[in-house]
Amino acid sequence: MVALPKEVIKHYELEDFVVNLDRSKVQLVNFLQDELAISPPSIAMALRYSQQERGPLPMILWRYGFVSLDQLNQILDWLEK
């Protein structure tokens, strides 16, 4: 797991990424913000990395230290519903 400095994360605006998302990803982003209190810049950075690396957003969030293993399990459970 790689933890990124907060100074780097602050440069990302979530609105720049949400406009291009499908409905299910927008719902996931809302869940991340509302239920898990993940910051919008952290989500935006993870969305960018997810697009670049073509990896699933939950795994990118965990890989870069934006969510804990417990939160990752909560996300995966939410996605199953």
Side-chain angles (χ1 to χ4, degrees):
M1 181 169 58
V2 177
L4 296 169
K6 289 182 181 182
E7 307 83 53
V8 173
I9 298 168
K10 288 181 185 178
H11 294 286
Y12 289 87
E13 297 294 329
L14 185 56
E15 293 80 21
D16 296 342
F17 294 93
V18 173
V19 294
N20 297 321
L21 296 179
D22 60 38
R23 185 171 182 251
S24 63
K25 280 207 176 165
V26 170
Q27 291 173 329
L28 174 57
V29 167
N30 290 334
F31 171 77
L32 294 171
Q33 288 183 88
D34 299 341
E35 300 298 322
L36 299 182
I38 309 301
S39 73
S42 297
I43 297 169
M45 180 175 260
L47 283 167
R48 178 175 177 229
Y49 284 4
S50 177
Q51 291 169 352
Q52 287 177 345
E53 299 176 15
R54 301 181 192 269
L57 182 59
M59 297 308 295
I60 299 294
L61 286 164
W62 177 75
R63 179 177 178 201
Y64 288 99
F66 297 126
V67 297
S68 66
L69 189 54
D70 182 53
Q71 289 172 313
L72 175 61
N73 286 326
Q74 289 176 356
I75 295 167
L76 297 176
D77 288 343
W78 183 86
L79 286 170
E80 283 184 6
K81 294 180 183 180

